[in-house]
Amino acid sequence: MRILLMDTGTPAPRRRMRADARRNYERLLTEAATAFGEHGADFSLEEIARRAGVANGTLYGHFPTRRALLEALMGDRMRTLAATGEELLAHPSPFEGLAAWARAAMAHTTLYRGLGATLMQAVEDETSELHTACKAVLAAGEGLVARARAAGEARPDVTAPDLYALVNAAAWAGEQSSVLQAERLLDFGLTGFRASTAGADDHMPGRR
């Protein structure tokens, strides 16, 4: 699932730009994606401008705040995650579809260290460019949880907020330790989400 979220395409700016302005915009996004991936979402914006070969004023002209830059980077990926959830509603096993989406969501959240806080703010802020995409992602998770419960594959008391809490906890563990630790924690949590673990084999849900 991680492959779906790691596209290298550059989000297109909303307004028409001159060729030089567009090049600067794309350079800034490329350098920001690399810097945030290596150092986290708190990396220096001025250093990103330097790496892109543009003045600080050019950076802030395109992205007035750090959040604006993150929103430009994450918009397409958020929409991809929501679309992935919609596709997984057709998975032959409702629980495996839910588990696959949870892993995709965690991979998305751990793309940049510290990204989770920005995404949570976007859910609450209707003025955020990510607000609609975030709401679509949450709706996808709700649909997958409801389907798994209705099929008797997930515990009847499991809720969508439980799923989001698990994903966020696993993502936080990944930031503090390692991706492997995050994946293990997510798998342990998903095992507990199953309708019954009695007699289950030693494999984590959805793992080979």
Side-chain angles (χ1 to χ4, degrees):
M1 298 304 302
R2 197 175 294 255
I3 295 174
L4 291 174
L5 303 177
M6 296 301 290
D7 56 287
T8 57
T10 303
R14 291 177 301 170
R15 63 185 185 279
R16 183 176 296 278
M17 294 183 181
R18 301 191 317 271
D20 58 339
R22 180 179 292 275
R23 284 194 297 271
N24 289 338
Y25 179 93
E26 293 176 350
R27 284 177 191 157
L28 286 165
L29 286 177
T30 297
E31 293 300 334
T34 300
F36 290 159
E38 292 175 350
H39 305 288
D42 292 330
F43 189 74
S44 166
L45 297 186
E46 288 75 17
E47 179 61 16
I48 289 172
R50 188 191 68 77
R51 292 184 179 190
V54 303
N56 290 345
T58 299
L59 167 68
Y60 290 112
H62 287 296
F63 309 107
T65 64
R66 181 182 303 277
R67 179 169 157 181
L69 178 53
L70 283 167
E71 288 177 345
L73 281 171
M74 300 310 301
D76 285 347
R77 289 184 170 92
M78 291 293 289
R79 286 182 283 274
T80 297
L81 182 59
T84 297
E86 292 293 326
E87 292 170 3
L88 287 170
L89 285 172
H91 195 288
S93 166
F95 190 86
E96 296 303 333
L98 170 64
W101 187 85
R103 293 191 185 90
M106 188 189 72
H108 171 84
T109 305
T110 56
L111 185 60
Y112 307 134
R113 187 173 65 252
L115 175 62
T118 295
L119 297 181
M120 291 301 295
Q121 292 170 3
V123 171
E124 303 297 331
D125 183 1
E126 295 184 1
T127 67
S128 168
E129 293 189 11
L130 288 182
H131 178 74
T132 299
C134 284
K135 297 294 281 188
V137 166
L138 295 180
E142 290 169 3
L144 289 163
V145 169
R147 180 173 182 251
R149 282 202 314 258
E153 294 185 16
R155 290 172 42 162
D157 57 343
V158 168
T159 66
D162 292 334
L163 175 63
Y164 309 143
L166 174 61
V167 168
N168 286 332
W172 182 87
E175 291 182 358
Q176 305 305 310
S177 180
S178 67
V179 173
L180 177 60
Q181 182 61 45
E183 292 173 346
R184 283 172 55 80
L185 179 60
L186 185 68
D187 281 341
F188 291 146
L190 288 171
T191 298
F193 279 16
R194 280 192 182 276
S196 174
T197 57
D201 60 25
D202 292 334
H203 295 289
M204 294 300 177
R207 307 293 272 191
R208 294 182 179 179

